[in-house]
Amino acid sequence: MATTLETAREVAEVVLRLTSSEVASGSNELKRLDYCIKAAGDEFVRRTRCTQASGVINATVDSEDLDTSALTGFRAGNVIRVTATHPTTGRVYIVPHNDFANVQTDVSLNDYLTEQFPFVNVGGFGYVPLSIAWRDNDSAIIYPIPSVAWSIQLDYWEPFTSWAIGTATPSSVTLNIPDEFIQGVLQHGVPAYKEADAPDDKRFVSSQRRFEAHINQCRGRLATTQVVLANEKEYP
């Protein structure tokens, strides 16, 4: 069962030994508590990528454009892996991808890439996608221009949940960190941020170390499975 902001506040209050009067609705202390939960959650998600999601889009024949606007929580900078599946053979290829910040936004990109990379023809079934680059979070360019409708799967991680700081309806906010990981975020991460204004305090040092250890432990459990690249040599 997913953890709500209401539950997260209750856990954090106990850990920080806050009284109900200190975190009363509308109080600055309640807002500060929310900021600490948000900061700890943001760091945990960014470093562990525990909110992994995936979406599939279909390439259009004879068009370099890909539309990613329908993918929930998608950000081009959060892509973990891109794979392309051939519509006829079912063969899967890993496709290199680029952050949109480093890519031109005009059609000359394909002309440039054509000079850098030779096309790879898969036994007469079309050219293998060699690169995908984002113009922005909603659109990308695929190279070379597809001659078949490749199925493009994007594996990515979603940002940590957002909410109005100090909200009076915390039960309606569901946090997207898995339950098996969020306890460590609340028990160690929130205190680390709460005590950050006193960096020499032993409690801050202890919380920071425990939070760092929790992140590293969870990163090991969430390691992205390595996929073997299937290329033209393996598919003659």
Side-chain angles (χ1 to χ4, degrees):
M1 190 165 103
T3 301
T4 64
L5 176 60
E6 182 177 44
T7 300
R9 283 178 177 176
E10 292 173 354
V11 173
E13 287 170 23
V14 172
V15 172
L16 296 171
R17 299 180 182 179
L18 297 173
T19 64
S20 57
S21 60
E22 288 178 300
V23 290
S25 180
S27 66
N28 287 334
E29 193 62 34
L30 177 63
K31 293 179 180 178
R32 187 182 181 192
L33 182 63
D34 273 9
Y35 276 120
C36 291
I37 294 173
K38 185 70 170 71
D42 281 341
E43 181 174 359
F44 184 81
V45 168
R46 177 180 60 81
R47 294 177 59 187
T48 65
R49 301 178 175 183
C50 66
T51 55
Q52 292 183 21
S54 64
V56 176
I57 55 178
N58 292 319
T60 302
V61 175
D62 296 330
S63 173
E64 67 178 5
D65 296 315
L66 292 176
D67 182 1
T68 57
S69 61
L71 299 180
T72 302
F74 177 78
R75 293 183 181 179
N78 294 359
V79 173
I80 299 171
R81 182 177 54 237
V82 180
T83 55
T85 302
H86 195 281
T88 302
T89 67
R91 293 167 176 171
V92 181
Y93 298 82
I94 294 178
V95 184
H97 56 89
N98 301 303
D99 191 331
F100 61 86
N102 300 319
V103 175
Q104 303 175 56
T105 58
D106 55 58
V107 294
S108 65
L109 175 64
N110 256 305
D111 294 334
Y112 167 76
L113 290 174
T114 300
E115 297 176 359
Q116 305 299 314
F117 305 100
F119 287 359
V120 179
N121 192 297
V122 189
F125 288 104
Y127 295 112
V128 175
L130 295 179
S131 182
I132 288 179
W134 275 266
R135 290 189 174 108
D136 51 40
N137 290 328
D138 295 329
S139 63
I141 294 173
I142 185 171
Y143 164 83
I145 295 175
S147 57
V148 296
W150 290 89
S151 178
I152 309 297
Q153 177 168 317
L154 306 175
D155 297 322
Y156 59 95
W157 56 276
E158 298 180 8
F160 181 49
T161 306
S162 294
W163 66 90
I165 297 298
T167 178
T169 56
S171 61
S172 65
V173 179
T174 300
L175 305 183
N176 61 352
I177 295 177
D179 284 349
E180 62 265 37
F181 302 137
I182 199 167
Q183 287 301 314
V185 176
L186 300 175
Q187 293 175 8
H188 310 309
V190 173
Y193 277 94
K194 182 75 162 49
E195 298 156 1
D197 55 354
D200 295 329
D201 191 316
K202 291 182 179 180
R203 291 177 300 176
F204 166 72
V205 175
S206 176
S207 296
Q208 189 179 43
R209 287 177 177 172
R210 290 175 183 273
F211 187 38
E212 188 70 25
H214 180 62
I215 290 174
N216 290 334
Q217 181 185 46
C218 293
R219 286 178 68 182
R221 294 170 62 184
L222 285 163
T224 303
T225 302
Q226 295 296 311
V227 178
V228 178
L229 175 61
N231 59 30
E232 72 279 7
K233 293 180 181 179
E234 296 166 308
Y235 291 147

